[in-house]
Amino acid sequence: METKELLKRLIAFATVSSDSNLELIDFVQSLLATKGIRSELVFNADHSKAAMFASIGPAGKPGLLLSGHSDVVPVKGQNWTTDPFTGTEKDGKIYGRGSCDMKGFIASAIQIMLAFADKPLDRPVHLAISFDEELGCLGIKDLLLQLQHLKVEPYLCIVGEPTSMNIATGHKGKTSFRTHCCGDEAHSSQAPLHTNAIYLACDVIAHLRNLQAELMTSGARDEAYNIPHSTVHVGTIEGGRSLNIVPGECQFVFEIRYLPGDDIDTYLDNLFKQAEMLVQQAQQAHPATKAAITFDCLTRYPGLDTPADHLSVRQLQALLPDETKTLKVAFGSEGGLFAEYLSAPVVVCGPGSIDQAHKPNEFISLAQLQQCDDLLNKLVPEICFNRSEHD
Ligand SMILES: [Zn+2]
């Protein structure tokens, strides 16, 4: 099967993050098994989703690890001109949800596993497929623990998110929280006697805006990013019941995307202490009423910061066209987690452009898919053939 045909098969599995990915994983496992490739699964708690890990070549040696996520973002409310879960070929492109983010890379990586399964490799090639990446890199962690246990130490790890086949050696880390502020409801004519949950939320948000200003002026800087500092952002807020009731509840979500040079835990500790102080002040002002602020962590993944001159990265660079850029990307990926858990050199490099990801009429060009096939066909021999024991 050609890579593009395999991609169409993968698109047909509607693996939106909220739904099961087991049919896709079962299909991939069966396909790998036709070449005798064994794979293992790591399930989520209710067994509705699984991450998959497969290897070819000798175990116990550092090899090439190719990684992708099976889940895709929803299509609901988006205006598609083709069926998003039918891979549609038109004008040198394949349209469909997940075509570029990131089933194109997965199709290419599966092809490479099949093509080299019966070749005499001196180093292994691994394929890791995760789930729940689009929910904040949630579905890779148990698999990474399993890989630690198996002592998998990649020589090079490629996370195939769409970079138009450029090499991304870095991205920011990210953490996000839901903040819940509680006051007490009362007739609005009595407002000064009660704690207003919306006011509490506004005070916490004011602290977040000060934090953004501080990070901009005195935080870490990396000019390789278009926004060269860590960023703070409040995305949604809701609270209150009606104008004539003092609001008892208000909640909002915020994220911090941080550079490795910023000590994010210290900033968060300060935020939590500030919130405690606000609660104490509210309770002092209105002793008979209640006040509370709680923070629920929604996501947390580390940034990626692989040295661009790392030997493994340079080997990869040498196989790509001269115009290939080495850069840092604005979006997050599982790459930071791979680097943290496996101490491996990790890059993000995959076909398609992030400009097409998550949008209606998402597509990948056949030229990009071909470039990815070409790269992997050169990279496996480069890294996994004719290596002496001393490498
Ligand atoms: Zn992605």
Side-chain angles (χ1 to χ4, degrees):
M1 205 185 326
E2 281 181 276
T3 302
K4 69 173 183 181
E5 296 305 326
L6 179 53
L7 170 58
K8 290 177 191 171
R9 298 288 297 272
L10 296 177
I11 289 171
F13 296 100
T15 48
V16 177
S17 308
S18 54
D19 301 327
S20 172
N21 72 340
L22 293 183
E23 285 182 21
L24 178 145
I25 293 292
D26 186 53
F27 167 77
V28 174
Q29 272 197 307
S30 305
L31 191 57
L32 294 174
T34 60
K35 286 280 189 170
I37 303 169
R38 277 209 312 275
S39 50
E40 56 181 291
L41 304 185
V42 179
F43 286 90
N44 67 343
D46 68 4
H47 274 237
S48 62
K49 298 172 190 173
M52 194 208 77
F53 184 69
S55 303
I56 55 174
K61 290 185 178 179
L64 177 64
L65 195 157
L66 306 172
S67 159
H69 60 83
S70 62
D71 59 319
V72 297
V73 294
V75 296
K76 210 171 154 222
Q78 292 188 336
N79 197 8
W80 284 72
T81 52
T82 60
D83 174 5
F85 296 109
T86 301
T88 305
E89 193 174 339
K90 210 173 73 182
D91 304 330
K93 296 168 186 156
I94 307 267
Y95 289 85
R97 172 55 86 226
S99 53
C100 104
D101 186 11
M102 55 180 289
K103 290 178 172 175
F105 178 80
I106 291 178
S108 191
I110 292 170
Q111 295 291 48
I112 220 67
M113 298 290 283
L114 296 171
F116 285 89
D118 48 14
K119 301 284 189 298
L121 298 170
D122 299 310
R123 286 180 178 175
V125 183
H126 310 285
L127 172 63
I129 300 180
S130 70
F131 58 90
D132 285 358
E133 192 273 349
E134 299 289 4
L135 304 182
C137 301
L138 302 178
I140 191 76
K141 291 183 185 169
D142 287 342
L143 177 63
L144 287 170
L145 287 173
Q146 175 72 358
L147 299 189
Q148 271 184 343
H149 178 71
L150 293 171
K151 299 204 169 12
V152 172
E153 290 164 8
Y155 179 83
L156 174 65
C157 173
I158 300 181
V159 177
E161 294 279 358
T163 59
S164 305
M165 295 306 292
N166 291 302
I167 300 174
T169 56
H171 62 69
K172 292 174 185 174
K174 177 183 164 184
T175 185
S176 64
F177 287 84
R178 180 175 300 282
T179 308
H180 204 112
C181 300
C182 288
D184 61 326
E185 292 195 339
H187 193 287
S188 59
S189 64
Q190 306 301 302
L193 304 177
H194 298 269
T195 300
N196 181 320
I198 291 179
Y199 288 178
L200 275 184
C202 289
D203 290 345
V204 180
I205 290 170
H207 179 85
L208 287 170
R209 296 191 69 179
N210 288 338
L211 173 58
Q212 174 69 93
E214 186 185 339
L215 288 168
M216 276 174 75
T217 51
S218 54
R221 284 190 85 79
D222 185 340
E223 302 297 336
Y225 292 98
N226 74 324
I227 309 281
H229 51 77
S230 299
T231 58
V232 184
H233 160 80
V234 176
T236 66
I237 183 165
E238 54 200 357
R241 203 181 292 279
S242 107
L243 180 58
N244 56 9
I245 301 175
V246 176
E249 306 265 335
C250 182
Q251 50 175 308
F252 65 91
V253 289
F254 72 92
E255 64 170 32
I256 305 177
R257 292 178 184 260
Y258 56 97
L259 292 172
D262 280 327
D263 178 5
I264 202 66
D265 287 315
T266 301
Y267 288 115
L268 286 172
D269 273 352
N270 288 342
L271 172 69
F272 300 152
K273 281 189 192 129
Q274 183 80 15
E276 261 170 48
M277 234 170 62
L278 290 168
V279 169
Q280 279 170 15
Q281 283 169 358
Q283 278 166 342
Q284 276 162 11
H286 316 293
T289 70
K290 62 170 184 181
I293 301 173
T294 54
F295 295 89
D296 292 323
C297 185
L298 303 174
T299 54
R300 173 94 189 237
Y301 61 78
L304 177 66
D305 202 13
T306 302
D309 60 356
H310 194 288
L311 175 62
S312 304
V313 180
R314 282 191 281 129
Q315 274 179 278
L316 174 69
Q317 258 162 353
L319 300 177
L320 282 160
D322 290 344
E323 64 270 21
T324 304
K325 296 189 208 98
T326 301
L327 40 80
K328 296 187 179 180
V329 285
F331 60 87
S333 83
E334 295 169 337
L337 288 165
F338 272 99
E340 186 176 280
Y341 280 66
L342 304 183
S343 314
V346 179
V347 296
V348 183
C349 177
S353 162
I354 197 71
D355 295 344
Q356 269 88 52
H358 298 201
K359 282 188 182 170
N361 303 321
E362 175 181 347
F363 69 84
I364 190 164
S365 75
L366 292 173
Q368 280 285 304
L369 215 49
Q370 184 64 48
Q371 236 195 78
C372 186
D373 281 349
D374 291 348
L375 171 70
L376 295 182
N377 270 306
K378 285 188 262 181
L379 187 62
V380 171
E382 166 74 17
I383 289 183
C384 303
F385 280 167
N386 301 322
R387 312 301 303 204
S388 76
E389 287 302 312
H390 311 291
D391 286 347

